[in-house]
Amino acid sequence: MGALARLLGRRSADGASAADGGGTGAATLAPKRVRSPRDLLHASGLTTPQLRATWLAVSWLLTYPDEATLSRIGQVAELVEDLPEPGRTELRSTLHALQEADPVLVQEQYVDTFDTRRRGCLHLTYFSHGDTRRRGMALLRIKQDFRAAGVEVGEQELPDHLPLVLEFAAGHDPERGAKILRGNRPGVELLRLHLEEISSPWHGALLALCGTLPPLDADDRAAVLRLAEEGPEEETVGLDGYGLDADAGALAGQTFAANGCDSRATAPGPVPLDLLRGRPS
């Protein structure tokens, strides 16, 4: 039984238990404690330099593996060696798979994994908002976080692309970057589960990423299960006349034009060169 099937099975069992008045339902969960962004940043127990290094490594590993990206694998491996366990071993597994495989086959597998399967989508807001008008506002909020840190995203890029968000978190603003990741935690978890399900070589990178974030809470788990069962939302109406400002409307229009994440033509490729300050030199 795959990871998603196990999750869905557990949801059914939990529901039955709650209906019988037994088990540990949501009513028995401890109340949430309000934590500062700084507390949440280090909820994993990793230091800021360790978080930056992990995010940087995952950003490179999830970038389209063209010749330039693959040429940096050795430098990424050096970066990973200074990380604590289990993240080091998780990242090593992805590094080893990419180093040992034929580059052309790696590129084909990347496209098949991330650009032709909706559950393999690397655009974070797609999981939380699908192809709906609300996604434009979610993208705008991320773009505003980038701007607040002095980073502008190119007009041809969507700011929720996971390698780009990780690049931003590692090289520019860890707290804002971590906030974006936490705000899209169910989507990150569903991506991790999907990569586990298909035995993807990139699963180790997602394990390491999830290890930098706070544990899933009850709401996050419910959202993951809902996404696994129903998938992201879809919408067929246009964007005009719904009160979106210019930036949000443009970003939402880009998502509709991209038609989700199931077309090779929408493959984002490497992150913009103007964000390379945080990368290994």
Side-chain angles (χ1 to χ4, degrees):
M1 182 182 293
L4 290 175
R6 288 197 300 272
L7 268 176
L8 294 174
R10 185 166 62 197
R11 182 183 191 185
S12 298
D14 289 345
S17 176
D20 292 339
T24 55
T28 65
L29 292 174
K32 291 184 180 180
R33 180 169 67 89
V34 177
R35 305 169 74 177
S36 70
R38 198 72 182 170
D39 289 338
L40 288 168
L41 178 65
H42 297 109
S44 63
L46 298 176
T47 65
T48 300
Q50 289 169 341
L51 290 170
R52 286 178 180 268
T54 302
W55 291 334
L56 186 59
V58 177
S59 175
W60 270 102
L61 293 174
L62 293 182
T63 295
Y64 179 76
D66 60 11
E67 184 177 350
T69 300
L70 292 175
S71 70
R72 298 289 189 116
I73 289 293
Q75 291 173 287
V76 177
E78 292 179 15
L79 185 69
V80 166
E81 287 307 305
D82 292 330
L83 293 173
E85 295 293 354
R88 180 170 57 204
T89 295
E90 292 161 351
L91 289 167
R92 277 176 175 170
S93 69
T94 297
L95 281 163
H96 178 74
L98 299 185
Q99 288 172 318
E100 294 298 314
D102 178 86
V104 174
L105 294 179
V106 170
Q107 292 171 358
E108 291 176 353
Q109 189 171 12
Y110 180 95
V111 171
D112 182 60
T113 301
F114 298 115
D115 297 331
T116 63
R117 308 185 193 207
R118 290 181 180 271
R119 282 179 175 165
C121 185
L122 289 175
H123 290 281
L124 295 175
T125 61
Y126 175 72
F127 291 104
S128 53
H129 299 293
D131 290 324
T132 68
R133 294 183 297 273
R134 294 192 307 278
R135 189 176 174 199
M137 292 305 300
L139 288 165
L140 178 59
R141 287 192 292 270
I142 295 175
K143 193 170 185 178
Q144 288 172 337
D145 279 326
F146 277 51
R147 283 176 176 168
V151 177
E152 287 291 339
V153 181
E155 292 183 0
Q156 301 304 313
E157 298 288 337
L158 291 177
D160 65 338
H161 187 226
L162 181 53
L164 182 59
V165 172
L166 292 170
E167 176 79 23
F168 170 71
H172 299 278
D173 195 322
E175 287 192 21
R176 285 191 174 93
K179 183 190 75 171
I180 296 169
L181 293 168
R182 291 194 306 270
N184 293 277
R185 186 70 172 87
V188 173
E189 180 65 11
L190 185 65
L191 178 60
R192 184 195 68 77
L193 288 168
H194 171 65
L195 296 183
E196 178 184 1
E197 187 86 19
I198 64 174
S199 300
S200 168
W202 287 278
H203 180 236
L206 261 292
L207 278 174
L209 170 57
C210 290
T212 68
L213 303 174
L216 292 166
D217 60 23
D219 291 341
D220 289 333
R221 291 184 182 278
V224 173
L225 292 166
R226 184 172 62 252
L227 279 169
E229 285 183 325
E230 304 170 6
E233 294 182 62
E234 294 186 10
E235 193 167 66
T236 57
V237 298
L239 295 170
D240 294 337
Y242 285 94
L244 295 179
D245 64 25
D247 277 352
L251 287 165
Q254 284 179 255
T255 70
F256 275 75
N259 191 29
C261 293
D262 57 354
S263 169
R264 179 170 182 172
T266 68
V271 298
L273 292 176
D274 60 355
L275 290 183
L276 291 181
R277 281 186 289 163
R279 295 232 170 150
S281 60

